[in-house]
Amino acid sequence: MMYSKVTHFGRLIVTQRTRPEQCRRLLHASRALQHPDETKPKSHPSLAPVLTPMLPPGSFDGKIAFITGGGTGLGKGMATMLSSLGAQVVISSRKQDVLDKTAEEISGQTGNKVFPISADVRNPDSIKSAVDQAIEQAGGLPHVVINNAAGNFISPTERLSPNAWKTVVDIVLNGTALVTLDIGKRLIEANQGASFLAITTIYAKSGSGFVSPSAAAKSGVEALAKSLAAEWGPYGIRYNVIAPGPVPTKGAFSRLDPTGQFEKQLLKMLPTGRFGDPSELANLATYLVSDYASWMTGAVIDLDGGEFVYRSGEFNMLSKVTKEQWDMMESMIRNVKGS
């Protein structure tokens, strides 16, 4: 007896015209689509990260950089690379002891002075005090301002208290705006150009469940950056954004993936087969705030290993299908009659 078959992504319907042994093979293939290979994806050797600075030595000689959230994670990575390229770097966050340790570590690596100045980006008075100290200690207004301070954690939105929502939005959106306004007003008054950079996330443009305060705040940061790129360009001020995908850092991953299980699934969503490295983001950041990018403003650049485009394509999951499974499905498709 023969059977025909119709499939719909892993569901197999058997009718007449297909041989039983073919049906068994096709059923195996359809089940494999439902349960793809669980092995860790492999990254092609050509996609290995380059961790050394791409800009020439001395690219930031005579420049002052001010980085929020500069004591740890991505902020620390950007601070280190800017310092290695000659910048006088001010790092700021709430914890002075962490800043002191980071500043000492970076200075030991690069030989350049790093200024640790604590501030709470949610508090305008705290920001003003930090910027005043930065100008005094570093010897002038910043030429580079990186808004990297962030707060985020996973939670069903209905479980959030008003204070939880407010805390994330205050750090991410209001903190970015307050730092930008304080330094921006001083720059305009002094007629000094500068480059601003904000660090957001790839879900700022799509939204994401379970991190809704962060998604709302980060999308606001991108709108702010684009708005000021248009408005402040005549003052010699540029504003760009990097929207990174998963770059493992201790603080971020411990709050967003406390069990470590999500990390394994997330890796399968990356066409490049690996997570990003903080030095890769630092290289992009240093280019965007450098004189080499003086005609770039209002840009939002994804740095995510292809995660956003992979998630966006309805059929991109077919990358998990093996050659044998493709042979089986091709046979099935050819046997479908009519429209």
Side-chain angles (χ1 to χ4, degrees):
M1 188 174 180
M2 300 179 68
Y3 303 89
S4 67
K5 64 280 171 194
V6 181
T7 63
H8 181 71
F9 269 117
R11 185 172 71 247
L12 181 66
I13 300 174
V14 180
T15 56
Q16 293 187 351
R17 283 202 307 273
T18 301
R19 294 182 179 86
E21 63 271 22
Q22 269 189 307
C23 267
R24 284 192 292 271
R25 293 173 63 208
L26 294 170
L27 183 61
H28 172 75
S30 67
R31 286 173 176 168
L33 285 176
Q34 290 179 330
H35 305 284
D37 184 12
E38 295 296 321
T39 59
K40 179 181 177 180
K42 295 180 180 179
S43 181
H44 192 278
S46 67
L47 300 177
V50 177
L51 308 182
T52 54
M54 68 178 182
L55 295 183
S59 293
F60 289 88
D61 284 354
K63 299 290 182 70
I64 299 168
F66 186 97
I67 305 175
T68 67
T72 59
L74 299 181
K76 179 181 178 181
M78 290 184 284
T80 302
M81 193 164 288
L82 281 165
S83 180
S84 73
L85 294 170
Q88 299 298 300
V89 179
V90 178
I91 55 174
S92 184
S93 69
R94 284 179 292 169
K95 297 181 179 179
Q96 186 65 53
D97 58 333
V98 173
L99 292 171
D100 291 339
K101 181 179 178 181
T102 298
E104 183 179 355
E105 181 182 335
I106 295 175
S107 292
Q109 287 181 238
T110 67
N112 285 327
K113 178 70 175 176
V114 176
F115 305 94
I117 300 173
S118 64
D120 184 345
V121 296
R122 298 170 294 182
N123 185 324
D125 292 333
S126 181
I127 294 169
K128 181 181 182 303
S129 174
V131 176
D132 287 343
Q133 292 178 64
I135 293 171
E136 180 181 354
Q137 294 181 31
L141 282 165
H143 304 87
V144 171
V145 181
I146 300 180
N147 282 295
N148 172 68
N152 195 13
F153 56 89
I154 53 172
S155 173
T157 303
E158 68 272 17
R159 293 191 178 197
L160 293 174
S161 67
N163 187 61
W165 177 278
K166 185 175 185 298
T167 296
V168 173
V169 174
D170 272 353
I171 294 171
V172 176
L173 177 55
N174 295 335
T176 296
L178 292 172
V179 170
T180 298
L181 287 171
D182 186 287
I183 298 177
K185 290 176 181 180
R186 299 179 195 232
L187 290 167
I188 292 170
E189 184 178 355
N191 193 29
Q192 177 182 310
S195 178
F196 283 75
L197 179 68
I199 308 301
T200 60
T201 178
I202 58 167
Y203 59 72
K205 57 177 167 282
S206 64
S208 177
F210 306 101
V211 285
S212 57
S214 171
K218 293 285 192 182
S219 63
V221 169
E222 293 188 358
L224 173 66
K226 294 173 187 177
S227 300
L228 293 181
E231 185 179 345
W232 285 0
Y235 299 120
I237 295 174
R238 301 186 294 115
Y239 214 135
N240 292 296
V241 177
I242 298 175
V247 181
T249 59
K250 181 180 179 181
F253 267 46
S254 63
R255 289 187 296 271
L256 298 176
D257 185 23
T259 67
Q261 294 303 307
F262 182 64
E263 180 177 336
K264 298 176 183 178
Q265 298 300 317
L266 182 57
L267 193 58
K268 298 171 188 176
M269 300 290 181
L270 301 175
T272 50
R274 67 172 177 85
F275 293 124
D277 187 275
S279 291
E280 293 178 288
L281 185 138
N283 258 322
L284 178 57
T286 53
Y287 167 71
L288 289 175
V289 299
S290 75
D291 293 339
Y292 294 95
S294 62
W295 204 50
M296 181 174 287
T297 192
V300 179
I301 300 178
D302 291 353
L303 184 68
D304 67 346
E307 182 190 1
F308 188 83
V309 292
Y310 184 86
R311 289 179 181 272
S312 300
E314 184 174 358
F315 291 94
N316 285 338
M317 69 180 73
L318 293 177
S319 62
K320 309 300 182 185
V321 177
T322 66
K323 181 180 182 300
E324 180 188 29
Q325 291 163 2
W326 274 119
D327 291 341
M328 294 176 183
M329 288 196 296
E330 183 178 346
S331 174
M332 295 164 68
I333 293 167
R334 286 179 175 179
N335 286 326
V336 174
K337 305 299 181 183
S339 60

